[in-house]
């Protein structure tokens, strides 16, 4: 067994793989252990998941709400601060990807499957059972859209922007490995290459994997529901696990091809197909109503922004947030190492202001329009007396999209496009997630050996399958919340570390600029003295 230490960050070459031993093996052990326990205690797993989720949500929900608001405020501050014109990778760095390709990749990785799963079922659920208003009313409809926008809008992308900016800045500007530990260099110094750094990266691997498993599990449930709706194929666990195996195989091929040939191409095609589906819904559906609802929903979201963003059920005594806001904040935080690192990987050369505003504004507005087109239209159908979508959501939230599309002309074609799009987002989430986890467990190596990429692609599929077997949607939600809580603390430290790093580099830039100005001034004075001396002679 050949083994040699090749870097100070403890990257090791073993069996042709290049890994950070403590991170790789510890993460793999913890993941395998959790999978095994879920399979062994299958019958009791769902009850355990329910208890764990309620405990974390009841005691830590306020903390999630506070943290997510801090992250968003910090990002907005940086965008308009003195650091805004600093460029990721240095003053001369150029963007690696065109802006449209950049948006396509970050949107596919950031929302993809989840948005397709919840864009109808969440607004309908809130409309029927809103946290504060009376269900089934116009007020309930407005409240439903406010909270759906809250869960999918600026707060989610603020988390991604924080992690993505921190990682890209320290990797490309400071020349540190593309791992979560590198962000804490201003705080811990060279200690990031030891135990402290390993612990940080292990948490990041676990959060990423279970966050990914949540999205992949939701995607598979929806594909299976679509196949049953269209072709009467049973949507049970056998079908879901088979779908995971098949799509994971495609994702593995994409991982082997890499970012440029695999992830980038699939992401761009996903956006094209999503645009086609959205355009057909607009043209074939209530066109004017969709644009009206987008304007009204967006305005209402901004008007009630502070109230909804800081609401913690203090006086209502309900547990509505446990299944919604707390779940989402835990999911996005758990998902953030993956999305953040992937965005970092594709964002070299952009200014800090361009990066933050691009990540926050464009994906959020597209998301708002998508939710308005699907969610508001579904609510309008319900208000007009058609309860088919409500019944579908009550029966199985995964079927909501396909029942909704049945009300449109060319319903079969639209549903086929929907299934293809969900599968496409599944693949891009899986392959880009594999690249991210691979980077974390290999000490920041961007292009790790193919065998490692395959291992993590297969592992992601296995975790999603086991969670579905062990507890279904409840298990997926619990995995996100439980892994998201400890990682929220890491993100708070990340804010401080990023600010400290930017401050240090800004001072150096200012000092160099002052020195250059002084040199120019001295040169000008010298030239004037020479000219005067020449005239006197």
């Amino acid at each position: 067994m050949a083994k040699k230490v090749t870097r100070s960050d403890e990257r090791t070459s073993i069996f042709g793989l290049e890994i950070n031993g403590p991170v790789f093996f510890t993460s793999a052990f913890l993941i395998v252990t959790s999978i095994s326990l879920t399979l062994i205690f299958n019958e009791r797993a769902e009850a355990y998941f329910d208890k764990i989720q309620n405990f974390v949500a009841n005691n830590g929900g306020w903390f999630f709400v506070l943290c997510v608001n801090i992250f968003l405020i910090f990002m907005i501050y940086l965008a308009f601060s003195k650091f805004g014109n600093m460029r990721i990778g240095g003053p001369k760095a150029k963007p690696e990807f065109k802006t449209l390709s950049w948006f396509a990749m970050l949107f596919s990785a950031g929302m993809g499957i989840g948005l397709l799963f919840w864009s109808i079922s969440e607004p309908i659920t809130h409309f029927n059972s809103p946290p504060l208003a009376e269900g089934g009313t116009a007020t309930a409809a407005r409240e439903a859209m406010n909270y759906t926008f809250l869960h999918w809008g600026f707060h989610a992308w603020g988390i991604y922007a924080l992690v993505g900016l921190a990682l890209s800045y320290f990797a490309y500007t400071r020349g540190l490995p593309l791992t979560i530990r590198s962000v804490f260099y201003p705080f811990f110094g060279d200690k990031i290459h030891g135990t402290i750094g390993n612990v940080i990266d292990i948490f990041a691997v676990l959060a990423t994997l279970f966050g990914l498993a949540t999205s992949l599990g939701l995607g598979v449930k929806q594909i299976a529901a679509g196949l049953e709706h269209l072709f009467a194929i049973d949507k049970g666990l056998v079908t879901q696990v088979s779908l995971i195996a098949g799509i994971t195989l495609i994702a593995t091929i994409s991982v082997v091809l890499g970012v440029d040939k695999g992830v980038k191409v699939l992401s761009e095609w996903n956006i094209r197909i999503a645009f086609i589906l959205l355009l057909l819904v607009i043209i074939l559906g209530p066109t004017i109503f969709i644009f009206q609802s987008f304007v009204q929903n967006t305005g209402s979201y901004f008007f009630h922004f502070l109230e909804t963003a800081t609401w913690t059920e203090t006086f209502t005594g309900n547990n509505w947030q446990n299944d919604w806001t707390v779940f989402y904040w835990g999911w996005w935080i758990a998902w953030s190492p993956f999305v953040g690192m992937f965005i970092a990987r594709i964002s070299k050369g952009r200014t800090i202001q361009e990066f933050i505003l691009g990540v926050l504004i464009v994906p959020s507005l597209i998301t708002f329009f998508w939710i308005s087109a699907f969610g508001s239209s579904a609510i309008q159908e319900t208000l007009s007396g058609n309860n088919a979508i409500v019944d579908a959501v009550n029966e199985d939230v995964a079927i909501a999209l396909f029942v909704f599309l049945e009300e449109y002309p060319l319903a079969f074609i639209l549903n086929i496009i929907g299934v293809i799009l969900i599968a496409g987002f599944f693949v891009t989430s899986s392959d880009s997630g594999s690249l991210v986890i691979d980077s974390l467990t290999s000490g920041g190596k961007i292009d790790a050996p193919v065998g490692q990429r395959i291992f993590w692609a297969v592992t992601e599929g296995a975790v999603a399958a086991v969670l579905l077997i062990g507890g279904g949607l409840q298990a997926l939600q619990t995995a996100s919340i439980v892994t998201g809580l400890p990682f929220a603390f890491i993100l708070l430290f990340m804010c401080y570390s990023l600010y400290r790093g930017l401050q240090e580099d800004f001072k150096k830039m200012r000092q160099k600029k002052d020195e250059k100005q002084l040199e120019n001034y001295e040169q000008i004075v010298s030239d004037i003295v020479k000219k005067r001396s020449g005239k006197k002679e």
Side-chain angles (χ1 to χ4, degrees), residues 257-269:
L257 292 174
V259 174
D260 288 331
K261 295 180 180 179
V263 180
K264 176 186 172 183
V265 173
L266 284 171
S267 296
E268 290 175 345
W269 271 105

Side-chain angles (χ1 to χ4, degrees), residues 96-129:
E96 184 179 357
F97 300 99
K98 294 180 180 179
T99 302
L100 286 178
S101 297
W102 182 59
F103 283 136
M105 285 190 283
L106 69 89
F107 186 78
S108 292
M111 290 298 167
I113 294 174
L115 189 58
L116 284 165
F117 190 91
W118 293 110
S119 60
I120 293 172
S121 57
E122 181 175 348
I124 286 292
T125 303
H126 298 340
F127 172 68
N128 286 333
S129 302

Side-chain angles (χ1 to χ4, degrees), residues 213-450:
T214 301
S215 285
L216 301 185
L218 293 177
V220 158
K221 286 175 72 68
Q222 196 170 27
I223 294 172
L227 292 176
E228 182 178 69
H229 184 74
L230 292 171
F231 306 109
I233 298 173
D234 180 61
K235 64 179 180 182
L237 279 176
V238 174
T239 300
Q240 293 177 24
V241 172
S242 299
L243 284 169
I244 288 176
I247 298 178
T248 299
L249 177 62
I250 300 172
T252 303
I253 296 172
S254 177
V255 164
V256 172
L257 292 174
V259 174
D260 288 331
K261 295 180 180 179
V263 180
K264 176 186 172 183
V265 173
L266 284 171
S267 296
E268 290 175 345
W269 271 105
N270 282 347
I271 295 301
R272 292 188 187 107
I273 297 171
F275 178 76
I276 291 171
L277 180 61
L278 178 61
L279 191 62
L280 289 173
V281 168
I282 294 171
I283 294 172
L284 299 175
T287 308
I288 301 300
F289 172 81
I290 288 173
F291 286 101
Q292 288 176 332
S293 66
F294 170 66
V295 174
Q296 178 174 308
N297 293 339
T298 305
S300 180
Y301 165 71
F302 281 113
F303 184 78
H304 295 90
F305 184 84
L306 291 177
E307 181 182 10
T308 57
T310 57
W311 183 58
T312 58
E313 294 185 310
T314 304
F315 302 110
T316 59
N318 298 328
N319 290 319
W320 182 90
Q321 281 191 318
N322 288 10
D323 292 328
W324 293 105
T325 306
V326 175
F327 159 61
Y328 276 120
W329 293 166
W331 187 11
W332 300 149
I333 290 171
W335 188 245
S336 67
F338 152 55
V339 180
M341 189 173 291
F342 184 71
I343 294 174
R345 171 70 180 80
I346 62 176
S347 298
K348 182 180 180 181
R350 303 191 182 275
T351 66
I352 288 177
Q353 185 177 78
E354 178 188 10
F355 175 92
I356 293 174
L357 296 182
V359 172
L360 282 181
I361 296 174
V362 176
S364 294
L365 291 179
I366 294 173
T367 299
F368 293 162
F369 190 79
W370 182 283
I371 293 172
S372 295
F374 287 82
S376 292
S377 299
I379 289 176
Q380 186 200 37
E381 283 288 325
T382 305
L383 285 171
S384 66
N386 184 355
N387 292 319
I389 300 173
V390 174
D391 294 337
V393 170
N394 291 335
E395 179 186 350
D396 183 359
V397 292
I399 201 70
L401 174 65
F402 307 105
V403 174
F404 168 76
L405 293 175
E406 284 295 332
E407 303 299 323
Y408 285 70
L410 308 175
F412 184 80
I413 295 174
L414 290 176
N415 276 320
I416 291 293
I417 294 174
V419 171
I420 293 172
L421 185 58
I422 297 162
F425 278 128
F426 187 121
V427 173
T428 51
S429 295
S430 180
D431 57 14
S432 50
S434 300
L435 293 172
V436 166
I437 295 177
D438 198 30
S439 179
L440 287 169
T441 56
S442 63
K445 187 173 178 61
I446 295 175
D447 297 313
V450 172

